[in-house]
Protein backbone atom coordinates (compact mmCIF):
# COMPACT_ATOMS: atom_id res chain seq x y z
CA UNK A 1 0.00 0.00 0.00
CA UNK A 2 1.32 3.42 -0.87
CA UNK A 3 3.35 5.58 -1.18
CA UNK A 4 0.46 7.33 -2.86
CA UNK A 5 -2.73 6.27 -1.21
CA UNK A 6 -5.57 8.44 0.08
CA UNK A 7 -5.50 6.89 3.53
CA UNK A 8 -1.80 6.89 4.29
CA UNK A 9 -1.98 10.59 5.20
CA UNK A 10 0.96 11.48 3.03
CA UNK A 11 3.75 9.60 1.35
CA UNK A 12 4.10 6.42 3.31
CA UNK A 13 4.25 2.81 2.24
CA UNK A 14 3.33 -0.42 3.95
CA UNK A 15 4.51 -3.77 2.75
CA UNK A 16 1.59 -6.00 3.66
CA UNK A 17 1.36 -9.78 3.43
CA UNK A 18 -2.23 -10.96 3.31
CA UNK A 19 -4.00 -14.21 3.85
CA UNK A 20 -7.28 -13.51 2.12
CA UNK A 21 -8.24 -10.24 3.78
CA UNK A 22 -6.27 -10.79 6.98
CA UNK A 23 -2.92 -9.23 7.72
CA UNK A 24 -0.14 -11.72 8.27
CA UNK A 25 2.78 -9.37 8.11
CA UNK A 26 3.17 -5.65 7.81
CA UNK A 27 6.33 -3.66 7.37
CA UNK A 28 6.22 0.15 7.24
CA UNK A 29 8.55 1.78 4.71
CA UNK A 30 9.65 5.30 5.57
CA UNK A 31 11.71 7.92 3.84
CA UNK A 32 9.54 9.25 1.06
CA UNK A 33 9.56 12.68 2.65
CA UNK A 34 13.06 12.74 4.08
CA UNK A 35 14.08 16.37 3.82
CA UNK A 36 17.39 16.49 5.75
CA UNK A 37 15.98 18.64 8.52
CA UNK A 38 18.61 17.65 11.06
CA UNK A 39 21.59 18.09 8.79
CA UNK A 40 20.33 21.41 7.47
CA UNK A 41 19.93 22.59 11.06
CA UNK A 42 23.52 21.68 11.83
CA UNK A 43 24.63 23.85 8.94
CA UNK A 44 22.58 26.90 9.91
CA UNK A 45 22.55 29.17 12.93
CA UNK A 46 20.37 28.42 15.94
CA UNK A 47 17.82 30.98 14.86
CA UNK A 48 18.05 29.86 11.24
CA UNK A 49 16.60 26.46 11.95
CA UNK A 50 13.53 27.85 13.71
CA UNK A 51 11.51 28.07 10.45
CA UNK A 52 12.48 24.48 9.66
CA UNK A 53 10.90 23.26 12.88
CA UNK A 54 7.60 24.68 11.62
CA UNK A 55 7.76 22.24 8.75
CA UNK A 56 8.27 19.15 10.89
CA UNK A 57 4.74 18.58 12.01
CA UNK A 58 2.94 21.01 9.82
CA UNK A 59 -0.28 20.97 11.78
CA UNK A 60 1.39 22.10 14.97
CA UNK A 61 4.11 24.55 14.03
CA UNK A 62 3.83 26.48 17.28
CA UNK A 63 4.40 23.52 19.56
CA UNK A 64 7.38 22.51 17.45
CA UNK A 65 8.80 25.99 17.93
CA UNK A 66 8.27 25.68 21.62
CA UNK A 67 10.13 22.40 21.96
CA UNK A 68 13.09 23.78 20.05
CA UNK A 69 13.08 27.08 21.94
CA UNK A 70 12.98 25.14 25.20
CA UNK A 71 16.06 23.14 24.24
CA UNK A 72 17.98 26.27 23.26
CA UNK A 73 16.88 28.10 26.40
CA UNK A 74 18.20 25.23 28.51
CA UNK A 75 21.45 25.31 26.58
CA UNK A 76 21.95 29.04 26.91
CA UNK A 77 20.33 29.56 30.32
CA UNK A 78 17.67 32.03 29.24
CA UNK A 79 14.57 32.95 31.20
CA UNK A 80 11.17 33.52 29.73
CA UNK A 81 9.09 36.49 30.96
CA UNK A 82 5.72 35.83 32.53
CA UNK A 83 3.62 37.23 29.71
CA UNK A 84 5.47 35.18 27.14
CA UNK A 85 4.84 32.02 29.16
CA UNK A 86 1.13 32.70 29.09
CA UNK A 87 1.11 33.46 25.38
CA UNK A 88 3.04 30.26 24.76
CA UNK A 89 0.50 28.21 26.62
CA UNK A 90 -2.42 29.88 24.86
CA UNK A 91 -0.98 29.35 21.39
CA UNK A 92 0.17 25.81 22.18
CA UNK A 93 -3.21 24.73 23.50
CA UNK A 94 -4.90 26.27 20.47
CA UNK A 95 -2.54 24.17 18.39
CA UNK A 96 -3.60 21.07 20.30
CA UNK A 97 -7.24 21.85 19.55
CA UNK A 98 -6.35 22.34 15.92
CA UNK A 99 -4.44 19.08 15.65
CA UNK A 100 -7.02 16.91 17.37
CA UNK A 101 -9.87 18.46 15.41
CA UNK A 102 -8.21 17.75 12.09
CA UNK A 103 -7.21 14.27 13.15
CA UNK A 104 -10.78 13.35 14.07
CA UNK A 105 -11.97 14.67 10.74
CA UNK A 106 -9.42 12.59 8.86
CA UNK A 107 -10.14 9.53 10.95
CA UNK A 108 -13.82 9.75 10.16
CA UNK A 109 -12.88 10.16 6.53
CA UNK A 110 -10.80 6.99 6.73
CA UNK A 111 -13.85 5.15 8.00
CA UNK A 112 -15.75 6.16 4.93
CA UNK A 113 -17.61 9.22 6.17
CA UNK A 114 -16.65 11.17 3.11
CA UNK A 115 -16.78 14.89 3.56
CA UNK A 116 -19.06 15.91 6.39
CA UNK A 117 -16.86 15.44 9.50
CA UNK A 118 -13.83 16.76 7.67
CA UNK A 119 -15.80 19.79 6.55
CA UNK A 120 -16.80 20.47 10.15
CA UNK A 121 -13.25 20.00 11.33
CA UNK A 122 -11.79 22.32 8.75
CA UNK A 123 -14.41 24.93 9.53
CA UNK A 124 -13.09 25.03 13.11
CA UNK A 125 -9.53 24.93 11.86
CA UNK A 126 -10.11 28.12 9.92
CA UNK A 127 -11.22 29.92 13.06
CA UNK A 128 -8.01 29.05 14.85
CA UNK A 129 -5.93 29.80 11.77
CA UNK A 130 -7.49 33.26 11.67
CA UNK A 131 -6.10 33.83 15.15
CA UNK A 132 -2.67 32.58 14.14
CA UNK A 133 -2.69 34.66 11.03
CA UNK A 134 -3.52 37.82 12.95
CA UNK A 135 -0.76 37.04 15.43
CA UNK A 136 2.06 35.79 13.24
CA UNK A 137 1.19 36.70 9.68
CA UNK A 138 1.11 33.08 8.50
CA UNK A 139 -1.62 30.51 8.48
CA UNK A 140 0.37 27.35 8.89
CA UNK A 141 4.04 28.12 9.26
CA UNK A 142 3.76 30.44 12.23
CA UNK A 143 7.42 30.63 13.26
CA UNK A 144 6.32 32.39 16.40
CA UNK A 145 8.56 31.45 19.32
CA UNK A 146 11.94 32.96 19.90
CA UNK A 147 14.66 32.02 22.40
CA UNK A 148 13.62 33.60 25.67
CA UNK A 149 10.13 34.57 24.61
CA UNK A 150 7.95 35.20 21.60
CA UNK A 151 8.48 37.09 18.38
CA UNK A 152 5.75 39.73 18.58
CA UNK A 153 3.21 40.83 21.13
CA UNK A 154 -0.49 40.14 20.73
CA UNK A 155 -2.20 42.60 18.39
CA UNK A 156 -5.05 44.68 19.82
CA UNK A 157 -8.29 42.77 20.10
CA UNK A 158 -6.61 39.41 19.67
CA UNK A 159 -7.25 38.10 23.13
CA UNK A 160 -10.95 38.94 22.92
CA UNK A 161 -11.20 37.13 19.62
CA UNK A 162 -9.37 34.14 21.07
CA UNK A 163 -11.76 34.10 24.00
CA UNK A 164 -14.69 34.04 21.58
CA UNK A 165 -13.23 31.13 19.64
CA UNK A 166 -12.55 29.20 22.83
CA UNK A 167 -16.02 29.89 24.17
CA UNK A 168 -17.57 28.63 20.98
CA UNK A 169 -15.52 25.44 20.92
CA UNK A 170 -17.47 23.28 23.36
CA UNK A 171 -20.46 23.64 21.09
CA UNK A 172 -18.51 22.26 18.20
CA UNK A 173 -17.24 19.38 20.34
CA UNK A 174 -20.77 18.49 21.36
CA UNK A 175 -21.91 18.63 17.78
CA UNK A 176 -19.03 16.50 16.66
CA UNK A 177 -19.59 13.98 19.41
CA UNK A 178 -23.24 13.68 18.48
CA UNK A 179 -22.28 13.24 14.88
CA UNK A 180 -19.83 10.45 15.56
CA UNK A 181 -20.05 8.63 18.84
CA UNK A 182 -23.50 7.10 18.67
CA UNK A 183 -22.90 6.00 15.13
CA UNK A 184 -23.24 2.26 14.65
CA UNK A 185 -20.80 2.03 11.80
CA UNK A 186 -18.22 3.93 13.76
CA UNK A 187 -18.66 1.63 16.76
CA UNK A 188 -18.27 -1.44 14.59
CA UNK A 189 -15.21 -0.10 12.87
CA UNK A 190 -13.39 1.12 15.98
CA UNK A 191 -14.29 -0.92 19.07
CA UNK A 192 -11.93 -3.80 19.67
CA UNK A 193 -9.87 -2.86 16.63
CA UNK A 194 -6.13 -2.26 16.83
CA UNK A 195 -5.77 -2.94 20.54
CA UNK A 196 -2.53 -1.73 22.04
CA UNK A 197 -1.87 -3.26 25.49
CA UNK A 198 -0.40 -0.91 28.08
CA UNK A 199 2.75 -2.99 28.63
CA UNK A 200 3.57 -3.07 24.94
CA UNK A 201 2.93 0.65 24.62
CA UNK A 202 5.32 1.44 27.45
CA UNK A 203 8.01 -0.88 26.12
CA UNK A 204 7.81 0.64 22.67
CA UNK A 205 8.12 4.14 24.23
CA UNK A 206 4.84 5.28 22.79
CA UNK A 207 3.80 8.69 24.09
CA UNK A 208 0.95 11.11 23.84
CA UNK A 209 -2.76 10.38 23.44
CA UNK A 210 -1.93 6.95 22.08
CA UNK A 211 -0.25 5.89 25.29
CA UNK A 212 -2.97 7.40 27.44
CA UNK A 213 -5.64 5.60 25.44
CA UNK A 214 -4.04 2.38 26.68
CA UNK A 215 -4.57 3.53 30.24
CA UNK A 216 -1.09 4.75 31.17
CA UNK A 217 -1.17 8.03 33.06
CA UNK A 218 1.76 9.85 31.51
CA UNK A 219 1.53 13.41 30.36
CA UNK A 220 4.63 15.58 30.32
CA UNK A 221 2.53 18.55 31.30
CA UNK A 222 2.02 16.79 34.63
CA UNK A 223 5.05 14.54 35.06
CA UNK A 224 7.73 16.96 33.89
CA UNK A 225 5.97 20.34 33.83
CA UNK A 226 7.56 22.83 31.49
CA UNK A 227 6.59 26.45 31.13
CA UNK A 228 3.94 27.26 33.71
CA UNK A 229 1.68 24.26 33.25
CA UNK A 230 1.92 23.58 36.98
CA UNK A 231 -0.43 26.52 37.63
CA UNK A 232 -3.39 25.25 35.69
CA UNK A 233 -5.66 22.56 37.05
CA UNK A 234 -6.63 20.04 34.39
CA UNK A 235 -7.28 16.33 34.21
CA UNK A 236 -5.45 13.76 32.12
CA UNK A 237 -8.11 11.61 30.46
CA UNK A 238 -7.29 7.92 30.23
CA UNK A 239 -8.61 5.11 28.10
CA UNK A 240 -9.24 1.55 29.21
CA UNK A 241 -8.78 -0.78 26.25
CA UNK A 242 -6.38 0.96 23.95
CA UNK A 243 -8.44 0.35 20.83
CA UNK A 244 -9.16 2.81 18.08
CA UNK A 245 -12.34 3.97 19.81
CA UNK A 246 -10.41 4.86 22.96
CA UNK A 247 -7.88 6.79 20.94
CA UNK A 248 -10.67 8.73 19.33
CA UNK A 249 -12.42 9.51 22.61
CA UNK A 250 -9.19 10.47 24.38
CA UNK A 251 -8.68 13.20 21.83
CA UNK A 252 -12.19 14.52 22.28
CA UNK A 253 -11.76 14.58 26.06
CA UNK A 254 -8.32 16.14 25.81
CA UNK A 255 -9.76 19.00 23.81
CA UNK A 256 -12.16 19.67 26.66
CA UNK A 257 -9.21 19.91 29.05
CA UNK A 258 -7.36 22.23 26.69
CA UNK A 259 -10.36 24.52 26.69
CA UNK A 260 -10.19 24.67 30.50
CA UNK A 261 -6.52 25.65 30.40
CA UNK A 262 -7.17 28.18 27.65
CA UNK A 263 -10.01 29.88 29.51
CA UNK A 264 -7.94 30.30 32.61
CA UNK A 265 -4.83 31.45 30.77
CA UNK A 266 -6.76 33.99 28.72
CA UNK A 267 -8.30 35.41 31.87
CA UNK A 268 -5.06 35.69 33.81
CA UNK A 269 -2.85 36.97 31.01
CA UNK A 270 -0.46 39.51 32.60
CA UNK A 271 1.25 42.48 30.97
CA UNK A 272 4.97 43.06 30.63
CA UNK A 273 7.74 42.26 28.18
CA UNK A 274 7.49 39.26 25.90
CA UNK A 275 11.15 38.44 25.44
CA UNK A 276 14.12 38.04 27.77
CA UNK A 277 16.27 41.18 27.31
CA UNK A 278 19.37 38.98 27.63
CA UNK A 279 18.40 36.95 24.60
CA UNK A 280 20.35 37.80 21.50
CA UNK A 281 19.05 36.70 18.16
CA UNK A 282 21.93 37.62 15.93
CA UNK A 283 25.40 36.27 16.67
CA UNK A 284 23.85 33.91 19.17
CA UNK A 285 26.53 31.56 20.46
CA UNK A 286 25.66 29.45 23.50
CA UNK A 287 28.49 27.99 25.58
CA UNK A 288 29.66 24.48 24.82
CA UNK A 289 27.39 21.87 26.34
CA UNK A 290 24.33 19.81 25.63
CA UNK A 291 20.62 20.08 26.34
CA UNK A 292 17.44 18.16 25.74
CA UNK A 293 14.17 20.07 25.68
CA UNK A 294 10.91 18.17 25.48
CA UNK A 295 7.24 19.04 25.51
CA UNK A 296 3.95 17.24 25.31
CA UNK A 297 3.17 18.00 21.70
CA UNK A 298 -0.33 17.06 20.49
CA UNK A 299 1.08 13.79 19.14
CA UNK A 300 3.31 12.88 22.06
CA UNK A 301 6.71 13.70 23.43
CA UNK A 302 8.53 15.99 21.04
CA UNK A 303 12.13 16.51 22.03
CA UNK A 304 15.12 18.34 20.63
CA UNK A 305 18.60 17.27 21.61
CA UNK A 306 21.34 19.79 20.98
CA UNK A 307 25.09 19.71 21.43
CA UNK A 308 26.86 23.03 21.24
CA UNK A 309 30.57 23.51 20.67
CA UNK A 310 30.38 27.22 21.30
CA UNK A 311 29.97 28.21 17.66
CA UNK A 312 26.99 29.83 15.96
CA UNK A 313 25.45 26.57 14.81
CA UNK A 314 24.70 23.38 16.73
CA UNK A 315 27.34 20.66 16.57
CA UNK A 316 24.68 18.00 16.76
CA UNK A 317 20.96 18.43 16.40
CA UNK A 318 18.51 15.62 16.81
CA UNK A 319 14.73 15.48 16.94
CA UNK A 320 12.74 12.90 18.84
CA UNK A 321 9.61 12.78 16.71
CA UNK A 322 6.52 11.30 18.37
CA UNK A 323 4.90 10.24 15.10
CA UNK A 324 7.82 8.06 14.06
CA UNK A 325 8.07 6.29 17.39
CA UNK A 326 4.31 5.80 17.66
CA UNK A 327 4.38 4.24 14.22
CA UNK A 328 6.96 1.57 15.02
CA UNK A 329 4.41 -0.82 16.53
CA UNK A 330 1.97 -0.58 13.67
CA UNK A 331 2.49 -4.24 12.84
CA UNK A 332 1.60 -5.44 16.34
CA UNK A 333 -1.65 -3.52 16.24
CA UNK A 334 -2.63 -4.68 12.78
CA UNK A 335 -1.90 -8.42 12.86
CA UNK A 336 -5.05 -10.46 12.48
CA UNK A 337 -7.19 -7.56 11.36
CA UNK A 338 -8.44 -7.00 7.85
CA UNK A 339 -6.86 -4.70 5.33
CA UNK A 340 -9.74 -2.26 5.75
CA UNK A 341 -8.93 -1.99 9.47
CA UNK A 342 -5.32 -1.06 8.75
CA UNK A 343 -6.56 2.19 7.30
CA UNK A 344 -8.42 3.05 10.48
CA UNK A 345 -5.64 1.91 12.78
CA UNK A 346 -3.09 3.97 10.91
CA UNK A 347 -5.46 6.94 11.05
CA UNK A 348 -5.77 6.63 14.82
CA UNK A 349 -2.00 6.73 15.31
CA UNK A 350 -2.00 10.33 14.10
CA UNK A 351 1.05 10.59 11.94
CA UNK A 352 2.44 13.50 10.00
CA UNK A 353 5.00 12.39 7.50
CA UNK A 354 7.03 15.58 7.75
CA UNK A 355 7.84 14.56 11.28
CA UNK A 356 8.24 10.86 10.63
CA UNK A 357 10.86 11.27 7.94
CA UNK A 358 12.14 14.72 8.88
CA UNK B 1 -17.13 33.58 -38.89
CA UNK B 2 -20.31 35.18 -37.68
CA UNK B 3 -20.70 38.93 -37.76
CA UNK B 4 -20.11 40.51 -34.32
CA UNK B 5 -23.20 42.72 -34.50
CA UNK B 6 -25.43 39.81 -35.39
CA UNK B 7 -23.98 37.73 -32.61
CA UNK B 8 -24.76 40.50 -30.08
CA UNK B 9 -28.25 40.88 -31.47
CA UNK B 10 -28.88 37.14 -31.18
CA UNK B 11 -27.49 36.94 -27.66
CA UNK B 12 -30.01 39.58 -26.60
CA UNK B 13 -32.68 37.18 -27.77
CA UNK B 14 -31.17 34.39 -25.74
CA UNK B 15 -29.46 32.65 -28.65
CA UNK B 16 -25.79 31.90 -28.21
CA UNK B 17 -23.76 31.42 -31.33
CA UNK B 18 -20.33 29.97 -30.82
CA UNK B 19 -17.78 27.75 -32.44
CA UNK B 20 -17.12 24.15 -31.58
CA UNK B 21 -13.67 24.99 -30.29
CA UNK B 22 -15.00 27.47 -27.74
CA UNK B 23 -17.66 25.06 -26.63
CA UNK B 24 -15.11 22.27 -26.25
CA UNK B 25 -12.73 24.47 -24.25
CA UNK B 26 -15.56 25.78 -22.11
CA UNK B 27 -16.56 22.28 -21.18
CA UNK B 28 -13.02 21.21 -20.50
CA UNK B 29 -12.05 24.15 -18.37
CA UNK B 30 -15.04 23.90 -16.07
CA UNK B 31 -14.76 20.23 -15.35
CA UNK B 32 -11.21 19.65 -14.23
CA UNK B 33 -10.86 16.65 -11.96
CA UNK B 34 -7.85 17.02 -9.68
CA UNK B 35 -6.11 14.01 -8.28
CA UNK B 36 -6.18 13.58 -4.52
CA UNK B 37 -2.49 13.45 -4.08
CA UNK B 38 -0.55 15.34 -1.45
CA UNK B 39 3.10 15.14 -0.59
CA UNK B 40 3.72 17.43 2.37
CA UNK B 41 2.62 20.58 4.16
CA UNK B 42 1.20 22.19 1.03
CA UNK B 43 -1.27 19.33 0.72
CA UNK B 44 -3.03 20.48 3.87
CA UNK B 45 -3.71 23.83 2.28
CA UNK B 46 -4.86 22.02 -0.83
CA UNK B 47 -7.39 20.11 1.29
CA UNK B 48 -8.40 23.37 2.95
CA UNK B 49 -9.12 24.79 -0.48
CA UNK B 50 -11.65 22.06 -1.05
CA UNK B 51 -13.27 22.58 2.35
CA UNK B 52 -16.03 24.85 3.56
CA UNK B 53 -14.46 28.29 3.55
CA UNK B 54 -12.71 28.31 0.21
CA UNK B 55 -14.97 25.92 -1.58
CA UNK B 56 -13.23 24.73 -4.69
CA UNK B 57 -16.59 23.50 -6.02
CA UNK B 58 -17.38 26.99 -7.20
CA UNK B 59 -14.91 26.39 -10.00
CA UNK B 60 -16.17 23.00 -11.01
CA UNK B 61 -13.19 21.12 -9.65
CA UNK B 62 -14.44 19.62 -6.45
CA UNK B 63 -14.26 16.04 -7.63
CA UNK B 64 -10.94 14.97 -6.15
CA UNK B 65 -10.26 11.53 -7.55
CA UNK B 66 -8.12 8.95 -5.85
CA UNK B 67 -7.12 7.22 -9.04
CA UNK B 68 -4.90 8.83 -11.66
CA UNK B 69 -6.97 7.12 -14.35
CA UNK B 70 -9.94 9.26 -13.43
CA UNK B 71 -8.20 12.59 -13.03
CA UNK B 72 -6.85 15.13 -15.44
CA UNK B 73 -5.22 17.64 -13.12
CA UNK B 74 -2.25 16.84 -10.94
CA UNK B 75 -1.59 19.32 -8.15
CA UNK B 76 1.95 18.57 -7.01
CA UNK B 77 1.52 19.85 -3.46
CA UNK B 78 4.66 19.57 -1.43
CA UNK B 79 8.25 18.44 -1.38
CA UNK B 80 9.16 15.89 -4.02
CA UNK B 81 12.06 13.82 -2.77
CA UNK B 82 14.22 11.78 -5.07
CA UNK B 83 12.71 8.67 -3.58
CA UNK B 84 9.25 9.89 -4.49
CA UNK B 85 9.95 11.48 -7.88
CA UNK B 86 9.69 8.23 -9.92
CA UNK B 87 6.28 7.60 -8.37
CA UNK B 88 5.11 11.11 -9.22
CA UNK B 89 6.13 10.69 -12.84
CA UNK B 90 4.50 7.27 -12.96
CA UNK B 91 1.24 8.68 -11.65
CA UNK B 92 1.40 11.44 -14.20
CA UNK B 93 1.89 8.89 -16.96
CA UNK B 94 -1.17 7.00 -15.78
CA UNK B 95 -3.43 10.02 -16.04
CA UNK B 96 -5.57 10.28 -19.12
CA UNK B 97 -5.01 13.00 -21.71
CA UNK B 98 -5.61 15.93 -21.83
CA UNK B 99 -3.88 16.44 -18.52
CA UNK B 100 -2.49 19.41 -16.67
CA UNK B 101 -0.10 20.01 -13.80
CA UNK B 102 -0.07 22.70 -11.13
CA UNK B 103 3.13 22.89 -9.06
CA UNK B 104 2.05 24.15 -5.67
CA UNK B 105 4.57 25.70 -3.31
CA UNK B 106 8.24 26.51 -3.22
CA UNK B 107 9.22 22.87 -2.78
CA UNK B 108 7.43 21.59 -5.86
CA UNK B 109 8.85 24.46 -7.90
CA UNK B 110 12.45 24.46 -6.77
CA UNK B 111 13.07 22.41 -3.64
CA UNK B 112 12.09 25.40 -1.52
CA UNK B 113 13.58 25.67 1.95
CA UNK B 114 14.99 22.17 1.63
CA UNK B 115 16.84 22.88 -1.59
CA UNK B 116 20.25 22.19 -0.08
CA UNK B 117 19.22 18.69 0.90
CA UNK B 118 20.77 15.85 -1.06
CA UNK B 119 17.49 14.02 -1.21
CA UNK B 120 15.17 16.76 -2.42
CA UNK B 121 14.29 17.18 -6.07
CA UNK B 122 14.90 20.76 -7.18
CA UNK B 123 11.58 21.17 -8.93
CA UNK B 124 9.15 18.72 -10.46
CA UNK B 125 9.30 20.60 -13.79
CA UNK B 126 12.53 18.69 -14.45
CA UNK B 127 10.48 15.62 -15.28
CA UNK B 128 6.93 16.59 -16.18
CA UNK B 129 5.57 19.68 -17.94
CA UNK B 130 4.07 22.13 -15.45
CA UNK B 131 1.29 24.46 -16.56
CA UNK B 132 1.02 26.78 -13.57
CA UNK B 133 3.49 27.43 -10.75
CA UNK B 134 2.28 28.81 -7.40
CA UNK B 135 4.95 30.41 -5.22
CA UNK B 136 4.62 30.38 -1.44
CA UNK B 137 5.43 28.20 1.50
CA UNK B 138 2.68 27.10 1.74
CA UNK B 139 0.62 29.10 -0.76
CA UNK B 140 -2.68 30.26 0.67
CA UNK B 141 -5.82 28.53 -0.56
CA UNK B 142 -6.65 31.70 -2.47
CA UNK B 143 -3.41 31.25 -4.37
CA UNK B 144 -4.46 27.78 -5.42
CA UNK B 145 -7.80 29.13 -6.56
CA UNK B 146 -5.96 31.77 -8.56
CA UNK B 147 -3.78 29.09 -10.13
CA UNK B 148 -6.88 27.17 -11.07
CA UNK B 149 -8.40 30.22 -12.74
CA UNK B 150 -5.13 30.83 -14.56
CA UNK B 151 -5.20 27.27 -15.81
CA UNK B 152 -8.80 27.69 -16.93
CA UNK B 153 -7.85 30.77 -18.90
CA UNK B 154 -5.04 28.84 -20.46
CA UNK B 155 -7.38 26.03 -21.46
CA UNK B 156 -9.95 28.41 -22.91
CA UNK B 157 -7.30 29.76 -25.29
CA UNK B 158 -6.28 26.39 -26.66
CA UNK B 159 -6.69 25.85 -30.39
CA UNK B 160 -7.39 22.65 -32.28
CA UNK B 161 -4.83 23.13 -35.00
CA UNK B 162 -1.65 24.99 -35.75
CA UNK B 163 1.78 24.92 -34.21
CA UNK B 164 0.51 26.30 -30.90
CA UNK B 165 -1.94 23.49 -30.30
CA UNK B 166 -1.73 21.68 -26.97
CA UNK B 167 0.17 18.44 -26.59
CA UNK B 168 -2.84 16.16 -26.49
CA UNK B 169 -3.95 17.31 -29.92
CA UNK B 170 -0.57 16.64 -31.48
CA UNK B 171 -0.32 12.98 -32.48
CA UNK B 172 3.48 13.12 -32.39
CA UNK B 173 3.81 14.64 -28.94
CA UNK B 174 4.43 12.31 -25.98
CA UNK B 175 1.76 11.66 -23.43
CA UNK B 176 4.09 9.66 -21.22
CA UNK B 177 7.45 10.75 -19.96
CA UNK B 178 10.38 8.54 -18.99
CA UNK B 179 10.41 7.56 -15.32
CA UNK B 180 13.75 8.28 -13.67
CA UNK B 181 15.35 5.60 -11.54
CA UNK B 182 17.24 6.02 -8.31
CA UNK B 183 20.87 5.70 -9.36
CA UNK B 184 23.88 5.36 -7.05
CA UNK B 185 23.96 9.01 -6.07
CA UNK B 186 21.20 10.84 -7.92
CA UNK B 187 18.22 10.20 -10.10
CA UNK B 188 19.25 8.97 -13.52
CA UNK B 189 18.77 10.96 -15.61
CA UNK B 190 18.85 13.96 -13.25
CA UNK B 191 16.40 15.75 -15.50
CA UNK B 192 14.49 15.15 -18.70
CA UNK B 193 15.96 17.45 -21.37
CA UNK B 194 12.73 17.17 -23.40
CA UNK B 195 10.83 18.92 -20.63
CA UNK B 196 13.32 20.95 -18.71
CA UNK B 197 15.14 23.57 -20.70
CA UNK B 198 16.29 26.30 -18.31
CA UNK B 199 17.07 29.59 -20.07
CA UNK B 200 20.73 30.24 -20.74
CA UNK B 201 21.92 33.59 -19.51
CA UNK B 202 23.68 35.63 -22.16
CA UNK B 203 26.14 38.03 -20.64
CA UNK B 204 26.79 41.24 -22.41
CA UNK B 205 30.54 41.90 -22.13
S1 LIG C 1 6.69 24.76 0.02
FE1 LIG C 1 6.78 25.00 2.25
S2 LIG C 1 4.76 24.39 2.92
FE2 LIG C 1 5.00 23.58 0.86
S3 LIG C 1 5.80 21.52 1.10
FE3 LIG C 1 7.53 22.89 0.90
S4 LIG C 1 8.12 23.38 2.99
FE4 LIG C 1 6.04 22.57 3.05
Amino acid sequence: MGPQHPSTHGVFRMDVVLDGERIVKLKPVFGYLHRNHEKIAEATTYLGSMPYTDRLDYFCSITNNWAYALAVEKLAGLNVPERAEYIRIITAELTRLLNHTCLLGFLAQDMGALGTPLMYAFREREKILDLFEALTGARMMCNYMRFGGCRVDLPPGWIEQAARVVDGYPRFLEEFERLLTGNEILMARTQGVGILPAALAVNASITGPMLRASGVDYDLRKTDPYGIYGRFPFRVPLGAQGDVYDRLMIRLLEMGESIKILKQAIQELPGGPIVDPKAKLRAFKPKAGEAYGRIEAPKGELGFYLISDGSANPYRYRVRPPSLINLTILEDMCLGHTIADVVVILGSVDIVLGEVDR
Amino acid sequence: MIDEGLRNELSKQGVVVTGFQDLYNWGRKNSLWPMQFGLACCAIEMIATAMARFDLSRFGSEVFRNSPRQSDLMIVAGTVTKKMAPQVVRLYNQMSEPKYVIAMGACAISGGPFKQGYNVLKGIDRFIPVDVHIPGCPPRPEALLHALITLQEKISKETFTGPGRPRHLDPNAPSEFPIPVCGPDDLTPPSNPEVWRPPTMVRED
Side-chain angles (χ1 to χ4, degrees), chain A residues 7 49 81 113 173 243 265 288:
Chain A
S7 66
S49 49
L173 288 184
D243 56 1

Side-chain angles (χ1 to χ4, degrees), chain A residues 154-322:
Chain A
L154 303 179
W158 193 88
I159 203 76
E160 290 79 17
Q161 201 193 337
R164 270 198 300 281
V165 171
V166 171
D167 286 339
Y169 226 83
R171 206 176 136 248
F172 160 71
L173 288 184
E174 253 169 56
E175 189 181 62
F176 209 71
E177 215 176 321
R178 266 211 313 279
L179 182 71
L180 293 180
T181 41
N183 187 316
E184 248 173 71
I185 302 177
L186 184 125
M187 300 288 180
R189 291 297 305 274
T190 55
Q191 287 183 333
V193 172
I195 293 177
L196 176 65
L200 178 62
V202 172
N203 283 339
S205 54
I206 306 298
T207 48
M210 217 175 137
L211 177 68
R212 294 193 285 275
S214 298
V216 183
D217 187 0
Y218 180 78
D219 186 323
L220 284 179
R221 290 175 293 172
K222 291 273 192 202
T223 50
D224 179 18
Y226 52 95
I228 49 167
Y229 270 111
R231 292 187 203 171
F232 300 98
F234 66 97
R235 216 165 48 81
V236 179
L238 295 180
Q241 277 231 322
D243 56 1
V244 174
Y245 183 76
D246 276 358
R247 268 172 241 144
L248 202 155
M249 288 313 288
I250 284 289
R251 290 189 170 105
L252 267 175
L253 295 174
E254 229 171 64
M255 282 199 265
E257 300 301 316
S258 289
I259 291 172
K260 271 191 216 160
I261 301 177
L262 273 169
K263 278 195 173 151
Q264 195 182 339
I266 287 176
Q267 208 164 38
E268 291 174 5
L269 180 72
I274 55 153
V275 72
D276 184 356
K278 281 209 311 301
K280 270 196 304 180
L281 291 181
R282 287 176 219 303
F284 175 75
K285 285 184 188 162
K287 315 188 282 302
E290 57 183 302
Y292 179 65
R294 60 177 185 172
I295 65 159
E296 180 73 31
K299 296 186 167 61
E301 176 182 335
L302 173 65
F304 282 82
Y305 176 60
L306 299 169
I307 299 182
S308 163
D309 58 357
S311 65
N313 42 336
Y315 175 74
R316 182 76 179 96
Y317 174 107
R318 158 98 179 116
V319 189
R320 183 229 187 258

Side-chain angles (χ1 to χ4, degrees), chain A residues 33 35 51-52 54-55 58 140-141, chain B residues 39-43 45 76-80 104-109 111-114 134-139:
Chain A
L33 194 55
R35 301 191 283 194
Y52 286 95
D54 287 327
R55 285 151 183 84
Y58 29 80
M140 275 174 79
M141 305 306 173
Chain B
L39 295 165
C41 346
C42 283
E45 288 295 64
V76 185
T79 319
V80 188
M104 179 177 185
C107 282
I109 297 174
F114 300 96
I134 322 172
C137 179

